[in-house]
Amino acid sequence: MKYLGLTVDTDPAYYMPFGQSYGPQMFLAVRSSGDAALLAGTLRRDIQSMDPNVTLAQIGTMEQSLALAVSQPRFDTMLLALFAGIALLLAAVGIYGLIAYSVAQRTHEIGVRMALGAARSDVVRMVVRQGASLAVIGIAIGLVGAFALTRLLKTMLFGVGATDVLTFTAAPLGIMLVVLLATFVPALRATRVSPVVALRYE
């Protein structure tokens, strides 16, 4: 098919007059090398001269049209990202509370170790290492599950891959940081308790 002197490969098409294929709205695109806003008056006069019953409304630039077209998907994406951030925050709070509680329940054990001569740094290091081991196992299982679901996510993402390196790095590091804090702070607090008091802890 030749169009304006150029050969274009396209599917077969046909065109119908506006009178035979009437629609409530029509779109007119005009290319301008200057200020597009200055063309509004000229376009209105030219269209009114051809058909006084046609009204020219919603004049805007292509940038404005594109921004309007993507505004709803952009809002939906921002809302989804907000909910995902809240879910991640709630997960971090839950993990911190659970790990911190489990470490606090070991105050009696820590008191016994301290009474037997264990160094404070050794006890804290042991508790943090055990918590980190559980976190690594949980993160590994989570990453395997996330990678397994990437095929479903590919159709719902735009501008970012389903296996985004930043996401798959930041989330595990954030969870690991939460676990380390949840083990370090209660363990350090427990080592500062007098062994006599710790042995009476219930």
Side-chain angles (χ1 to χ4, degrees):
M1 177 180 180
K2 287 190 175 181
Y3 181 71
L4 298 179
L6 301 176
T7 301
V8 180
D9 295 329
T10 182
D11 296 331
Y14 67 94
Y15 300 90
M16 298 176 61
F18 178 70
Q20 292 180 322
S21 180
Y22 174 76
Q25 293 182 343
M26 293 186 65
F27 299 92
L28 175 66
V30 179
R31 176 179 294 179
S32 171
S33 59
D35 188 358
L38 299 178
L39 292 176
T42 303
L43 289 175
R44 279 198 172 92
R45 287 192 299 270
D46 291 343
I47 291 176
Q48 289 291 321
S49 64
M50 290 184 290
D51 190 344
N53 297 321
V54 176
T55 301
L56 186 62
Q58 296 182 349
I59 300 176
T61 63
M62 185 60 67
E63 289 79 8
Q64 293 172 341
S65 300
L66 290 175
L68 181 62
V70 301
S71 59
Q72 186 62 42
R74 182 175 296 165
F75 174 77
D76 295 341
T77 303
M78 292 177 60
L79 196 62
L80 182 61
L82 177 62
F83 287 154
I86 294 175
L88 183 60
L89 179 62
L90 291 176
V93 171
I95 291 173
Y96 183 91
L98 179 62
I99 298 295
Y101 177 78
S102 65
V103 174
Q105 293 299 304
R106 300 177 62 182
T107 301
H108 179 77
E109 172 195 343
I110 294 174
V112 172
R113 292 179 183 274
M114 297 290 293
L116 294 176
R120 176 180 298 175
S121 59
D122 293 337
V123 174
V124 173
R125 190 180 302 111
M126 177 198 68
V127 175
V128 172
R129 183 173 60 250
Q130 292 174 352
S133 300
L134 292 176
V136 168
I137 295 173
I139 289 172
I141 295 174
L143 287 176
V144 171
F147 276 111
L149 294 175
T150 52
R151 291 185 178 180
L152 298 177
L153 294 175
K154 286 181 178 179
T155 58
M156 297 185 291
L157 298 177
F158 177 77
V160 63
T163 56
D164 182 52
V165 177
L166 180 60
T167 303
F168 277 85
T169 303
L173 289 179
I175 295 299
M176 179 61 73
L177 179 62
V178 169
V179 172
L180 293 179
L181 288 176
T183 53
F184 177 77
V185 175
L188 185 62
R189 186 183 300 119
T191 58
R192 292 176 178 174
V193 177
S194 173
V196 177
V197 177
L199 290 176
R200 296 176 182 174
Y201 179 84
E202 293 183 1

